[in-house]
Amino acid sequence: MNPEQQNQQNPQNQPQVFQQGGAPTQPQTMPAVPPALSQNSQQKSKKKLFIVIGAAVSVLVLLLIVVLVFSSSNPEKGVKEVEQTPTSNGPVPATAISTEQLNNSISQDLSGVDDETTFPVDQLSDDALGL
Amino acid sequence: MNKRNSVQLVLALVLLVSLGSGVFVEAQVASPPAGSTFEQRLAQRKSEQKISLEEKDATRLSKRCSNAKTTINGLQQKLSETVSNRRKTYETIDAKLWVGIGQHKLAGQDTFALEKQQAIYRQQIDKFNVLSAEYLQTIDDIVVLNCQTDVIGFKALLETSRSYLTQIRAHNEVMRVHVVNNIKPELSNLGQKL
């Protein structure tokens, strides 16, 4: 093949078609941003967003911890709990409910005491011993 | 028959009936001295029970006492745990009373009546501990004794242990009645005033 035929087959060497006035077929638009640059900036903005969200979440978690710690050490709330159950500081004043609970507890202990089972009257009888 | 004779006859009949019905007065058992040996305890129980056996009864007892000892041996193994559990229950109730007394004092109440009841209960617990310890000791002595060579001793220890069992049962009932009729109402009384 001669060089002229090779040139004709190579599409890069095909002559451009111009309209009247010699303007190219492509319309006049904003200069295009190179693809590499736009991807880079998108990644950067995503990164910034993640950082901001992460910081906000951390702040919220810290606030929550502070609130919980503060509320558990609040003396007003502690007094109510002390009235209900005894703390490690010692006995607490009796209430009508606590007295009733104590009474019921003693009844329960007493109900487990059964001499017919533990000390039956015929435990040492002649029949029981085969005498 | 005149009136005087009939009265005498009635009295004689009453006396005969009361003797004939076999009214049995339980021998009084006393706590052996602390640190006493097996022989000392055995001698004490024999003198307390004053056992007398006819020959045929003694023979029958000597033949059967080994089996009885086996049964008592099994009882002995369970008894110490039983007694321990019962003591624990009584002590738990006592501890709860102490806590209750403290709580009512903190509430500014007069707990004198409850403390008095608790003190009685404490004495009752101590008596139970003594009775149960002596009951266990007597059972142990029966297990140790050679019943075939000392039938009288076997019978004396057996009667002693039966006496302790009766006392323990009676005392437990006294304790239960005290808690139900005295301590619990006093607690309720204090609770109602709060």
Side-chain angles (χ1 to χ4, degrees), chain A residues 15-113:
Chain A
Q16 286 187 344
V17 174
F18 289 94
Q19 291 179 350
Q20 284 182 350
T25 56
Q26 291 173 351
Q28 287 288 341
T29 58
M30 294 291 289
V33 176
L37 277 178
S38 93
Q39 274 183 5
N40 207 7
S41 65
Q42 274 182 2
Q43 280 175 0
K44 276 188 184 172
S45 64
K46 272 188 187 173
K47 228 184 217 179
K48 281 184 189 171
L49 186 64
F50 284 140
I51 291 169
V52 167
I53 290 171
V57 167
S58 308
V59 167
L60 280 172
V61 166
L62 280 171
L63 275 173
L64 191 63
I65 291 169
V66 166
V67 165
L68 284 173
V69 166
F70 183 71
S71 64
S72 67
S73 63
N74 190 342
E76 287 179 357
K77 238 187 188 177
V79 166
K80 281 186 189 170
E81 286 172 359
V82 161
E83 281 179 0
Q84 293 300 322
T85 56
T87 64
S88 59
N89 294 332
V92 297
T95 61
I97 293 173
S98 72
T99 304
E100 190 181 339
Q101 285 174 346
L102 175 61
N103 232 337
N104 291 339
S105 173
I106 290 174
S107 294
Q108 203 169 355
D109 290 335
L110 220 52
S111 68
V113 169

